[in-house]
Amino acid sequence: MISPGATRVRLGALDDLPPREGRAVTVDGERIAVFRCDGGVRAVSNACPHAGGPLADGVVAGDTVTCPLHMRVVDLRTGEVSDCAGRVRVHDVMVEDGVIYLLRPEPRSEAHRA
Amino acid sequence: MGGTRRRLVVIGNGMVAATFLEELLGADAERFEVTVFGAEPHPAYDRIKLSTVLAGACEPESLTMLDEDWYTDHGVTLHAGCEVVALDRERQVVRDGTGRETPYDVCVLATGSDPIMPPIEGRHRGGVHTFRTLGDVHDIIEGGRRASGAVVIGGGLLGLEAAYGLRLRGVEVSVIHLMDRLMERQLDGVGARVLRGQLELMGMRVVMPAETASIVGNGRVEAITLRDGRVIDADLVVVACGIRPSTALARESGLTVGRGIVVDDRLRTSDPRVFAVGECSEHRGLLYGIVAPLNAQARVLAAHLRGDETAAFEGGIPATTLKVAGVQVFSAGVVDAEELDDLLTLEDTAAGVYKRVLLRDDRLRGAILVGDLSTAPQITAVIAGGATVNGNRLSLVAAPTGEPPTSVAAGLADEAVVCGCNGVTKATIVCAIRDQGCATRGEVTKCTRAAGSCGSCGSIVDALLAGCGVEASASSAEPDVCACVPLGLHALRAAIWERNLRSVQAVLETLGNGTGCAKCKIALSYHLDAWWCGDYEEDRSARFINDRVHANIQRDGTFSVVPRMFGGITTPAELRRIADVADRYAVPMVKVTGGQRLDLLGVRKEDLPAIWRDLGIVSGHAYAKAVRTVKTCVGSDFCRFGVGDSTALGIAFERMIWGLYTPHKLKSGVTGCPRNCAEVTVKDVGLVGIATGWELYVGGAAGMSVRKGDLLSTVATPEQALRHVALFVQHYREEARYLERTYHYLQRVGVDAVRAATVDAPAAEQEGLLERFALAKSRVREPWATEGASPRTPLQFGALPAAGPPEERELVGHAAAAPSPAFRSTQAMDRGEAMLAAAGVGVG
Ligand code: SRM
Ligand SMILES: Cc1cc2nc3c(=O)[nH]c(=O)nc-3n(C[C@H](O)[C@H](O)[C@H](O)COP(=O)(O)OP(=O)(O)OC[C@H]3O[C@@H](n4cnc5c(N)ncnc54)[C@H](O)[C@@H]3O)c2cc1C
Ligand code: SF4
Ligand code: FES
C-alpha cells in the first residue's frame, strides 16, 4: 500500500505502545498521536479540533478515542469528531518487524501546494 | 452547432462562480461555450473551510468544489492562475495577463473581494499575512511552524477563524480588535461576550478595544505595538480587517460601481451583456459577504441565462450559519435592537449559549444564536416564509435544549432551509434519503451538498436520517452503567462476582458489547476495584489520563502536581522541598489550593517522575475520583474556643482513608467546634467537635450545588468517629454509582437508609464493611513512589522517539505543553495589581 514516492518515518517500537493506549510523537514539527487499537495501529494529528486537546492522552474504545479535555469522540479511521465541525487529520501507518512507521505520500513541503 | 453556442466568459473562479457554473451547465452543457479565468492557481474550492486547512484538520485538496475533470467533462475552458486585466466592452473581449484576448457574448464578473490591508506602519515586514486564499493559508502555515506567538488583527469572522486555526496548531494567539465587541456585524453585546468566553476557554487571548499602531521587528515581525502603548510579542501576524469588493476591472471598464458592482434583480450591470454575482456585486444598495445569498444570486443568474424570464434575486434577510472558531453562530438580519422591537432572549453563559430574536409587529427582523443552533431551522423557515411569525414565538429561542433534534427536524416545514450555506431544504434532504437511498450524513452531503460547507446543520441531517428510520433509535430503559453494558448496578455486581470477572475487557466481552466506550470503561475500572477490594487486573487503557500518569491534565496538556498534606499540616522541611522543586523544574505557578495544600501547576508530563522523586511526598490524588483532602482547623491545640483536637483527628482520618478510589471525589474535614472554621458541614464527610464528642455529617456540598450534610451519627470518642467514617466510606464505595457524589447518593437513597446500612447495621454487617475496607486499604499502592521509579507501562510519561534530526526528537506529551518560561504566579500577581488599580477605589 506504499504508493510510489512515499516516504516512511520510523516512529518507534510496537512494544512501546501498550494495547488500547496512545502515545504522542512529533514528526517534522507535526504533533501526531499513535494508538494501538484492537484492529491495528492508527495515527491522527494530536490536537483535538475542539480546543487542541492532546488526543494521545485519550481513552481508546474500538476505533475511537475520547479526548481527555472535553470528551469529544474522535473516529480514528475517518478523523470525524462528535459534536464538532472540525476533523482531525488521519495519517497512514504501518508496522513491520515490530517497528511502527508513518507513511508520507510525498515530501512534506509539497503537500500544501494544491 | 458551434456557431449557435453563445460565448460566455466568467471572470473569477471562486465559490459563487462554481455554484453558477454547476447550475448553468448541470443539465445541458451545450448551450454555451464557456471560458473561465481564475487568478488563483487552483480549480474552484470552498473558501469557508480555509480555517480547517489552517488548523491542519484537512488537506487543501479536500476543499475542491469542481475538480479539473469537471471542467473538461462540461467543455469548459479553464485558465487557472490567469488574471483578467482588462474588460473591453466596446469590442466585447477580455484581455488576460498574458496579453491574450478572449471574445464574449455574455460576460459574468465573479471577482469576489480583496482583503483590506490598513496602512499600519511596518505592514510590509516578513511574517505579516492576509487570510483569504489557499496561498495565504500556505504562507501562514509555513510561518506558523516557527511561530511561538501570533497576533491576529481584527476580531471579525475571518480574524477569529484564523486565530482558531493557529490555536489548534499550538500557537499562542492574541486577537486585537478595534471595537468593544467581537463580530459586531453579526453579534450584539451579549452574544459577543458569550463567544468571547468560549474563545478564551480555548486559550485565545482577546485584546479590545485596541488599535494597532505599528508592526515592529528587524526585517521580520517581532512584536506589534498598540496605540495605548502596549506591546505584544509576535512572530506571526495575520491581518483580517475586512474585505472590499474587487471592482477595479469593472470600474476601469466604465461600469456603474458603487461600493460594489451595481446590479439589478437579474444580476445585470449597467451593460446588458455583463453580469456580476458574488461578493463583488452590490444589489439594492447591499453588499453580501456570506455564501447563502450569493449562491442564490448564482442560481438566479443561471436560470436567467437559460431562458427563465421570471428568475429574479430580491435580496432578503441575510441569514447565515457560521462556525466561528469552532463555536456555532447563527446571525440573521438586523443586529442592533431599536426601541420598538420586541426581544426574545435566552442566555446560559456557563454553557456558552445565547439566543436572541428581534421582532416587530410579529415580523422577524433579526436573530442571533450562539452555541446552540437548534432553533436556526425554525428561524430560517420563518424568514423563507416572508418573516411573519405565527403561533408560538418562544419556540424560536426556547425549543430544543434537551429536546432531541429528531423532533425539531420533524417539526420543520418541507420548504424550510436546513443547510443555509447551500440552500438545501428539508424536502430535498428527505427525498435524497427516501428516494435516492442515502443512508449516512456523508451520502446526503454528496447527493445534496447539505452539511457540506460549514457543517453546522449536520445534526439536523442526522435527525432527518433517523426520522426516516435509517438508524434504529436508542434502546428503551436507561441502564445503570452504560448502554455498552446494559445491566443495572446490582445485577452487574452479582454477575461480576459470580463469573469471577476481574478485568474491564473481560466484563465488556462477557456482559457487554465487547468494545465499550470511554464512559463505561472508566466506570468499570472503578467498580471492579471497589467490588474486588483492589484485587483485580487494572487495565490502564481503561483509565482516564489522570489515573495513568497520576496528575491532573490541564487545558494546555500540561499537568498539575498536588502533594498530600495530611490534615493541611506541613513542616518547614517539606515546604523547602516543594520550593526547591518549583525552582528546579521551572514550575510556572505555585498556588495554595482551596483544599489546604499546595499545587504546582503547568508541569510537563515527562518531568513528573523526577518531580515526585525530589518531593519525596505522597500523592494528594487531586487528579482522581478518590480520597482527596481532610481539611482541619487548628482546634483545641491553639484555638481559645476549640473543644476537639481537630488537627490530630484530621490527620488520623486522612491516614485511615487516603489512597482509596471512591465513586466520585471524597473531600472531608474536621473542625474543632461548631463555629466550623473548616467548613465541614458542606463536605462529603465532616466531623464537628462538640463538648460531648463528635458529630458526623455526610453528603454535604459546596461546589456546583450547596447542601448541608446530613447528620449520620453523634459519638463520644475520636476512635468511634473514625470507625463510623470507615463504615460510611466503604458503604459509599460499594453502593454508589460511578460519578455519584455523596450529596447525590444521599439525596437518592436518604440518610435513614444509609444509617441503617452503616452505623445502625447489625454487628456482623459492620464487621464485613470494615474487613473489606481494611482489605482494600491494604492493597493500595502509592503511585508516585512506585511508578515514578519504575513505569507501569512503556513510555508512561514519554512519547515515541521517531526518527529524524535530534531537534525533532525533543518530545513532549503535547507540543503546547512546554511551559512558558515566565513564572505565572508573578503574572497572576501583576494581573491582580492591575485590576486593583483599574477599580479606581483609591487603593493600589
Ligand atoms: C486546585 C483546586 C483549586 C484551587 O486552586 O484551590 C481545584 C481545582 C480543580 N477542581 Fe475543584 N479544586 C479545588 C478545590 C475545590 C473545592 C474546595 C475544597 O476542596 O474544599 C471545591 C468545592 C467542594 C466540592 O468539591 O464540591 C471544588 C469543586 C469542584 C467541582 C464541583 C464538584 C461538585 O460536584 O459540585 C469540580 C467539578 C467536578 O468534580 O466535576 C471541580 C474540579 C476541579 C478540577 C479538577 C477540574 C478538572 O477536572 O480539571 C480543577 C483542576 C485544575 C487544574 O488544572 O489542576 N472542583 N474544588 C482545589 C484543589 C483542592 C485540593 O487541594 O485538592
Ligand atoms: C476564511 C474564510 C471563512 C469564511 N467563512 C464563511 C462562513 O462560515 N460562512 C459564509 O457564508 N461565508 C464565509 N466566508 C465568506 C465566503 O467565503 C465568501 O462569501 C465567498 O467565497 C464569496 O464567493 P465569491 O465567488 O463571490 O468570491 P471568491 O470566493 O473570493 O472568488 C473570487 C475569485 O475571483 C478571482 N478573481 C478576482 N479578480 C479576478 C480577475 N481579474 N481575473 C481572474 N480572477 C479574478 C479571485 O482570485 C477569487 O479566486 C468565509 C471567507 C473566508 C475567507
Ligand atoms: S472552629 Fe473552633 S476551634 Fe476551630 S478555629 Fe474555629 S473557633 Fe477555633
Ligand atoms: S479539546 Fe478535545 S474535546 Fe475539547
Side-chain angles (χ1 to χ4, degrees):
Chain A
M1 67 171 258
I2 312 177
S3 55
T7 53
R8 64 180 203 181
V9 182
R10 184 184 195 280
L11 297 184
L14 183 63
D15 283 346
D16 281 346
L17 192 58
R20 294 182 294 276
E21 280 198 47
R23 289 292 180 261
V25 64
T26 306
V27 177
D28 297 338
E30 192 176 345
R31 296 151 47 206
I32 297 174
V34 188
F35 301 92
R36 185 159 168 190
C37 306
D38 294 339
V41 176
R42 299 193 181 276
V44 299
S45 73
N46 192 14
C48 176
H50 174 236
L55 296 174
D57 285 342
V59 173
V60 174
D63 281 313
T64 66
V65 65
T66 300
C67 177
L69 293 196
H70 316 99
M71 310 300 155
R72 300 236 179 351
V73 181
V74 177
D75 187 324
L76 295 171
R77 293 160 311 179
T78 62
E80 260 163 55
V81 184
S82 64
D83 298 328
C84 188
R87 251 170 193 270
V88 294
R89 177 165 169 192
V90 180
H91 295 274
D92 289 330
V93 278
M94 60 174 286
V95 177
E96 195 181 284
D97 298 333
V99 176
I100 310 168
Y101 295 93
L102 178 77
L103 299 181
R104 284 264 187 242
E106 54 187 311
R108 180 82 191 128
S109 54
E110 245 105 276
H112 282 279
R113 283 181 230 275
Chain B
M1 168 181 77
T4 60
R5 291 169 78 190
R6 289 158 81 197
R7 291 166 303 181
L8 171 68
V9 166
V10 181
I11 307 177
N13 190 27
M15 293 188 72
V16 178
T19 307
F20 167 69
L21 290 170
E22 267 200 315
E23 289 286 326
L24 184 74
L25 305 177
D28 58 319
E30 302 297 299
R31 221 177 299 180
F32 292 93
E33 182 186 322
V34 186
T35 308
V36 180
F37 291 88
E40 293 183 71
H42 339 269
Y45 62 88
D46 187 346
R47 206 173 295 285
I48 295 180
K49 286 204 185 132
L50 283 179
S51 61
T52 321
V53 176
L54 180 55
C58 72
E59 291 297 320
E61 295 76 35
S62 68
L63 267 52
T64 307
M65 293 175 72
L66 302 178
D67 59 21
E68 281 166 40
D69 290 345
W70 188 93
Y71 294 89
T72 320
D73 294 348
H74 291 79
V76 175
T77 310
L78 170 66
H79 297 301
C82 181
E83 188 177 345
V84 171
V85 295
L87 165 62
D88 185 338
R89 294 194 287 121
E90 220 135 279
R91 296 171 48 228
Q92 286 180 226
V93 296
V94 301
R95 192 167 70 251
D96 62 44
T98 66
R100 170 181 45 197
E101 294 196 333
T102 309
Y104 66 79
D105 299 309
V106 176
C107 176
V108 173
L109 288 158
T111 51
S113 305
D114 300 315
I116 294 177
M117 175 62 86
I120 303 171
E121 193 190 317
R123 63 185 178 280
H124 304 300
R125 292 212 151 77
V128 180
H129 307 281
T130 52
F131 183 43
R132 174 81 194 173
T133 63
L134 265 177
D136 291 337
V137 169
H138 174 74
D139 293 345
I140 298 172
I141 291 173
E142 286 301 312
R145 264 190 229 296
R146 292 183 300 267
S148 53
V151 158
V152 174
I153 304 179
L157 166 65
L158 293 190
L160 298 182
E161 285 282 278
Y164 176 62
L166 285 166
R167 186 72 200 113
L168 289 198
R169 290 197 169 248
V171 180
E172 293 287 327
V173 186
S174 304
V175 176
I176 314 291
H177 192 47
L178 197 55
M179 308 294 174
D180 59 2
R181 72 177 196 234
L182 295 171
M183 286 183 60
E184 70 281 354
R185 297 212 345 229
Q186 289 88 11
L187 295 180
D188 66 348
V190 186
R193 222 165 32 244
V194 170
L195 176 64
R196 177 181 183 164
Q198 295 295 305
L199 299 180
E200 285 175 342
L201 266 183
M202 290 173 211
M204 291 185 207
R205 192 172 150 213
V206 179
V207 185
M208 70 182 187
E211 188 181 353
T212 310
S214 65
I215 298 173
V216 295
N218 179 12
R220 288 186 58 83
V221 50
E222 288 166 21
I224 65 149
T225 66
L226 300 181
R227 284 258 179 262
D228 61 15
R230 276 180 286 176
V231 177
I232 298 176
D233 289 341
D235 33 26
L236 176 71
V237 171
V238 177
V239 180
C241 294
I243 51 170
R244 187 183 292 127
S246 183
T247 57
L249 202 61
R251 196 184 301 270
E252 280 157 23
S253 74
L255 291 173
T256 307
V257 173
R259 287 184 300 150
I261 305 167
V262 175
V263 294
D264 65 14
D265 288 1
R266 306 233 137 65
L267 291 315
R268 202 189 328 243
T269 66
S270 53
D271 176 339
R273 289 194 186 80
V274 181
F275 298 80
V277 285
E279 282 184 352
C280 63
S281 70
E282 174 182 331
H283 175 258
R284 299 191 187 175
L286 286 180
L287 301 175
Y288 294 92
I290 48 181
V291 288
L294 299 176
N295 281 339
Q297 290 184 343
R299 283 189 284 271
V300 167
L301 177 60
H304 178 65
L305 292 181
R306 292 171 70 158
D308 178 354
E309 286 303 319
T310 60
F313 178 73
E314 294 174 346
I317 299 182
T320 183
T321 310
L322 306 164
K323 182 185 52 64
V324 188
V327 180
Q328 302 209 329
V329 172
F330 173 89
S331 171
V334 179
V335 170
D336 289 301
E338 288 162 33
E339 216 175 300
L340 292 176
D341 292 336
D342 292 342
L343 288 180
L344 307 174
T345 41
L346 184 146
E347 191 181 341
D348 182 346
T349 332
V353 172
Y354 172 65
K355 303 177 170 195
R356 196 211 60 188
V357 170
L358 266 183
L359 300 171
R360 190 182 291 180
D361 304 330
D362 285 333
R363 287 177 70 81
L364 190 140
R365 300 182 71 228
I368 293 169
L369 308 177
V370 179
D372 171 8
L373 303 198
S374 48
T375 54
Q378 281 97 318
I379 293 172
T380 322
V382 167
I383 292 173
T388 310
V389 179
N390 317 310
N392 186 359
R393 298 154 44 124
L394 276 180
S395 70
L396 295 176
V397 287
T401 330
E403 190 176 335
T406 336
S407 64
V408 178
L412 289 177
D414 282 350
E415 66 282 3
V417 175
V418 171
C419 172
C421 293
N422 296 304
V424 187
T425 60
K426 174 179 166 184
T428 312
I429 296 171
V430 169
C431 163
I433 299 169
R434 288 236 171 90
D435 305 343
Q436 293 167 57
C438 296
T440 63
R441 189 198 290 191
E443 286 169 20
V444 171
T445 303
K446 234 193 204 134
C447 199
T448 66
R449 283 233 179 156
S453 286
C454 80
S456 54
C457 59
S459 62
I460 304 275
V461 173
D462 292 348
L464 289 173
L465 279 161
C468 294
V470 171
E471 207 185 65
S473 57
S475 64
S476 49
E478 165 91 329
D480 267 355
V481 177
C482 181
C484 306
V485 191
L487 285 178
L489 197 68
H490 289 117
L492 179 66
R493 180 168 62 190
I496 285 176
W497 278 343
E498 191 194 307
R499 303 191 192 194
N500 194 26
L501 304 174
R502 303 227 179 202
S503 73
V504 170
Q505 211 51 35
V507 175
L508 287 172
E509 279 160 22
T510 320
L511 306 172
N513 67 2
T515 328
C517 65
K519 198 177 135 207
C520 63
K521 289 176 79 169
I522 293 175
L524 288 172
S525 289
Y526 167 73
H527 288 305
L528 283 169
D529 175 60
W531 292 336
W532 290 116
C533 298
D535 185 16
Y536 80 116
E537 293 159 44
E538 186 188 4
D539 173 358
R540 281 293 163 87
S541 79
R543 289 279 200 194
F544 188 56
I545 183 66
N546 287 8
D547 293 308
R548 291 189 222 155
V549 300
H550 315 294
N552 194 81
I553 193 164
Q554 310 188 328
R555 55 191 307 162
D556 63 353
T558 61
F559 291 85
S560 65
V561 173
V562 182
R564 195 167 284 280
M565 219 171 249
F566 291 92
I569 292 166
T570 182
T571 63
E574 207 172 67
L575 288 173
R576 256 182 226 110
R577 286 207 301 278
I578 293 175
D580 287 343
V581 160
D583 272 343
R584 198 170 304 137
Y585 297 92
V587 173
M589 166 106 97
V590 185
K591 184 183 178 302
V592 177
T593 72
Q596 295 191 347
R597 41 199 194 164
L598 292 170
D599 196 348
L600 301 168
L601 295 122
V603 168
R604 307 195 310 173
K605 198 201 261 175
E606 68 270 29
D607 285 341
L608 290 170
I611 288 185
W612 298 335
R613 182 197 59 215
D614 292 0
L615 281 172
I617 310 176
V618 297
S619 167
H621 295 92
Y623 46 80
K625 305 300 178 220
V627 170
R628 292 281 179 94
T629 50
V630 180
K631 303 209 299 184
T632 66
C633 75
V634 294
S636 55
D637 221 11
F638 284 91
C639 173
R640 63 200 164 106
F641 295 116
V643 293
D645 187 354
S646 49
T647 47
L649 182 53
I651 292 171
F653 185 164
E654 192 164 348
R655 289 227 167 265
M656 178 177 77
I657 61 170
W658 77 282
L660 288 174
Y661 281 107
T662 40
H664 205 301
K665 47 199 178 191
L666 190 90
K667 298 179 175 182
S668 317
V670 183
T671 205
C673 84
R675 288 172 190 75
N676 193 18
C677 297
E679 303 165 315
V680 307
T681 51
V682 289
K683 293 280 140 204
D684 296 291
V685 183
L687 287 169
V688 180
I690 54 174
T692 53
W694 298 91
E695 286 175 342
L696 171 58
Y697 289 88
V698 294
M704 290 185 282
S705 355
V706 180
R707 175 177 196 266
K708 187 175 176 196
D710 299 309
L711 182 63
L712 188 73
S713 62
T714 306
V715 295
T717 67
E719 294 71 33
Q720 285 169 318
L722 288 174
R723 187 186 154 97
H724 281 194
V725 168
L727 288 172
F728 172 75
V729 170
Q730 184 61 17
H731 168 80
Y732 170 59
R733 281 170 32 89
E734 293 177 359
E735 294 296 326
R737 299 180 180 134
Y738 184 65
L739 291 187
E740 190 170 31
R741 194 85 187 253
T742 58
Y743 64 91
H744 283 133
Y745 178 65
L746 272 134
Q747 265 165 0
R748 177 162 68 90
V749 302
V751 68
D752 294 336
V754 174
R755 197 179 291 119
T758 56
V759 296
D760 286 354
E765 275 179 37
Q766 292 196 19
E767 289 318 312
L769 276 171
L770 291 180
E771 240 168 63
R772 293 193 295 278
F773 174 84
L775 198 56
K777 183 68 184 154
S778 72
R779 292 191 174 121
V780 167
R781 287 169 79 231
E782 197 288 316
W784 289 2
T786 50
E787 293 178 24
S790 53
R792 148 111 196 205
T793 53
L795 299 174
Q796 185 175 359
F797 306 100
L800 288 170
E807 65 270 21
E808 287 166 5
R809 284 206 205 122
E810 205 200 302
L811 298 161
V812 291
H814 183 227
S820 72
F823 190 51
R824 287 208 257 162
S825 291
T826 347
Q827 290 175 0
M829 292 174 198
D830 290 347
R831 289 199 303 274
E833 285 298 329
M835 280 175 199
L836 181 57
V841 289
V843 185

